[in-house]
Amino acid sequence: MKKGVFYFITALLCVCLFFSCENEESIIGENLLIHNQHDIFVLNDSLINIVAFSAIEDSLSAQNSTNLLGSYFDPISGQTNASFCFQITLPNNEMSFNAINISNIELRLPLTGFFGDSTANFNIKLSSLNQSINTVDDIDYLTTQNFESTPIEGAEFVINIAETLDSNILQLPIPINFGLNEILNLPTQSLANNEAFTEAFYGFKLEVEPIINNGSIIYINTSSDDAFLKIEYTNSSNEEVLTTNFPINSGVRLNYVDHDYNEALLSDSTFLFIQSMGGVFSELDFSFLKNYQDSGYIVNQATLELSVFEENANFKIPQQISLYEYFGNNLIPINGLSGGFLSEENNNYEFDITRHIQKILTENHNPICRLFTHERASNADRLMLSNTAQNPIKLTLILIEG
């Protein structure tokens, strides 16, 4: 009996505590909204003025774990051609091949994806580099830097993108008259280690003949252990055919991208354009917020909304885009930023930039941001975003007035 009374009293206390907390919350809400101690309001769209424009990116690091190969035509960016240079490295130090002939030599390059028309055909050309691409004094190569090379006779290939993607590997057989003197029978000191080897054989360049209609760019995973140059050969001891794989992932790999922009279209104010591969960014200037820096406003919520323009001209719409603060020629990650993913239902992207807007309002923080495609050094994404009068860049700003 006593135990039952105890349980009853405990349950009664819990119920009273629940209603007490609920009443307290309703009192807080009344103080905020009913008694107007603090007004919560949405800043009128007519008071929001985001200055936005698109511009060509002047530099992007050429070194990346994914290399880009292909060509396509874009009505905004014009002709875009992507090629890359890469080293091969020794499987071990102090190598000695003593080769007398080569029976097979081939490049094997695993793929991770593509951009554009999967039915396109590539006319690929393989060349040997005429200059070293080893990095010196931490100099960072850029995607605008091209390197001289000499075409390898007979190393021209026609491939179908769809068939190559099905096999998930780009396999290029090289004429067997290449590689004996250029690689296997280099002087002993050049085969001692990779530092010496990559100064004796500089590497390869892989490029595609420009494609005027449609086209495609494939993504090659040169950081994979499955990326290598395979050589089958016979040595001076007349042993059975020997095989050596020269890794690619431990050497330097550099993307090169050539754009032919229609700059008149880039200045069109009805849309913003962003493109990967050291292409185009869009700048957003929130300087209008300086008008409210002395207001004492607290930012309850700030949501930036960007809508896809005209179905992105029928190009594939990226799943994610990136936003950074831009200051002093540097891109700075935005604290508290979230979002940037495509809403397929609304065909738009949203960013939560609440903390950043608060810093601009109360700390006189830098108001300049830049918009890019996501992981722009390792894909060929491009995107058009609406900035028309009917569907502009939208900032929904919910403020609390103290």
Side-chain angles (χ1 to χ4, degrees):
M1 180 68 178
K2 290 181 179 179
K3 187 178 291 186
V5 171
F6 172 77
Y7 286 143
F8 174 76
I9 293 172
T10 302
L12 184 62
L13 287 172
C14 288
V15 171
C16 291
L17 181 61
F18 172 78
F19 282 106
S20 173
C21 292
E22 188 175 60
N23 288 337
E24 183 179 351
E25 288 179 1
S26 65
I27 291 170
I28 293 172
E30 288 175 0
N31 285 337
L32 285 174
L33 300 176
I34 297 176
H35 297 296
N36 287 321
Q37 287 187 359
H38 299 278
D39 288 333
I40 300 179
F41 66 97
V42 178
L43 191 66
N44 193 288
D45 288 345
S46 64
L47 301 175
I48 294 176
N49 180 28
I50 302 171
V51 178
F53 63 88
S54 299
I56 298 171
E57 189 171 10
D58 59 3
S59 64
L60 182 67
S61 176
Q63 299 193 59
N64 199 272
S65 60
T66 298
N67 288 109
L68 309 173
L69 179 67
S71 175
Y72 81 100
F73 180 80
D74 188 296
I76 305 300
S77 64
Q79 189 71 40
T80 296
N81 303 314
S83 60
F84 67 99
C85 301
F86 60 99
Q87 296 174 334
I88 58 170
T89 56
L90 296 171
N92 295 293
N93 290 336
E94 307 296 340
M95 296 295 297
S96 178
F97 300 102
N98 298 316
I100 58 174
N101 64 68
I102 291 176
S103 56
N104 180 53
I105 176 171
E106 63 181 49
L107 268 176
R108 296 179 63 86
L109 302 167
L111 307 182
T112 60
F114 78 103
F115 171 89
D117 181 7
S118 64
T119 66
N121 289 327
F122 278 178
N123 293 313
I124 297 178
K125 180 174 69 176
L126 181 67
S127 304
S128 59
L129 291 173
N130 296 341
Q131 62 188 111
S132 172
I133 58 173
N134 281 319
T135 54
V136 180
D137 298 328
D138 297 324
I139 295 175
D140 191 15
Y141 290 119
L142 304 176
T143 54
T144 53
Q145 293 175 261
N146 200 3
F147 295 89
E148 293 183 359
S149 63
T150 300
I152 298 173
E153 186 176 353
E156 297 178 352
F157 317 91
V158 178
I159 67 162
N160 178 264
I161 300 302
E163 293 175 359
T164 306
L165 290 170
D166 285 342
S167 65
N168 210 35
I169 192 162
L170 179 62
Q171 186 172 344
L172 302 176
I174 302 171
I176 59 174
N177 59 359
F178 179 86
L180 187 64
N181 295 323
E182 294 86 352
I183 298 173
L184 295 185
N185 289 340
L186 287 169
T188 301
Q189 61 268 26
S190 297
L191 298 174
N193 53 55
N194 280 323
E195 183 179 358
F197 177 70
T198 54
E199 287 297 327
F201 179 70
Y202 299 134
F204 294 102
K205 179 197 283 188
L206 207 54
E207 53 194 329
V208 168
E209 185 177 311
I211 300 175
I212 298 175
N213 296 317
N214 298 323
S216 181
I217 291 178
I218 57 176
Y219 309 152
I220 299 174
N221 182 13
T222 52
S223 64
S224 169
D225 290 337
D226 295 325
F228 54 81
L229 176 73
K230 175 182 177 181
I231 302 182
E232 297 175 353
Y233 64 97
T234 304
N235 65 13
S236 57
S237 300
N238 291 318
E239 295 176 333
E240 293 183 358
V241 174
L242 303 173
T243 300
T244 299
N245 294 333
F246 294 81
I248 294 173
N249 61 1
S250 54
V252 176
R253 293 99 67 197
L254 304 173
N255 283 319
Y256 170 71
V257 184
D258 178 39
H259 301 280
D260 179 22
Y261 291 106
N262 185 336
E263 296 194 34
L265 286 175
L266 284 179
S267 63
D268 189 332
S269 62
T270 61
F271 66 88
L272 297 178
F273 184 68
I274 55 177
Q275 184 188 32
S276 294
M277 308 177 292
V280 180
F281 65 90
S282 288
E283 186 163 293
L284 308 179
D285 186 347
F286 297 92
S287 291
F288 79 93
L289 291 167
K290 292 181 179 180
N291 298 327
Y292 306 98
Q293 285 180 342
D294 297 327
S295 64
Y297 291 154
I298 297 171
V299 182
N300 179 265
Q301 183 73 33
T303 304
L304 181 66
E305 180 182 327
L306 304 128
S307 298
V308 177
F309 183 73
E310 294 185 352
E311 295 303 315
N312 199 32
N314 295 321
F315 285 96
K316 182 181 178 181
I317 300 174
Q319 290 298 307
Q320 187 176 1
I321 57 178
S322 299
L323 185 69
Y324 296 91
E325 178 186 347
Y326 179 73
F327 182 75
N329 206 31
N330 292 307
L331 295 176
I332 305 167
I334 296 175
N335 291 332
L337 179 74
S338 64
F341 296 96
L342 174 67
S343 167
E344 295 185 0
E345 179 181 355
N346 300 318
N347 212 28
N348 70 359
Y349 303 84
E350 288 187 358
F351 290 97
D352 184 338
I353 54 173
T354 302
R355 289 175 61 183
H356 191 65
I357 296 298
Q358 183 68 67
K359 288 168 67 177
I360 296 174
L361 278 181
T362 58
E363 301 175 24
N364 194 27
H365 196 73
N366 168 49
I368 308 297
C369 293
R370 285 189 173 180
L371 194 67
F372 296 87
T373 54
H374 186 60
E375 296 182 346
R376 68 192 190 283
S378 58
N379 62 61
D381 286 347
R382 55 91 76 193
L383 179 62
M384 299 171 72
L385 296 165
S386 178
N387 196 28
T388 63
Q390 297 77 23
N391 193 15
I393 302 166
K394 184 177 182 181
L395 176 65
T396 302
L397 194 53
I398 303 176
L399 301 174
I400 301 175
E401 185 177 15

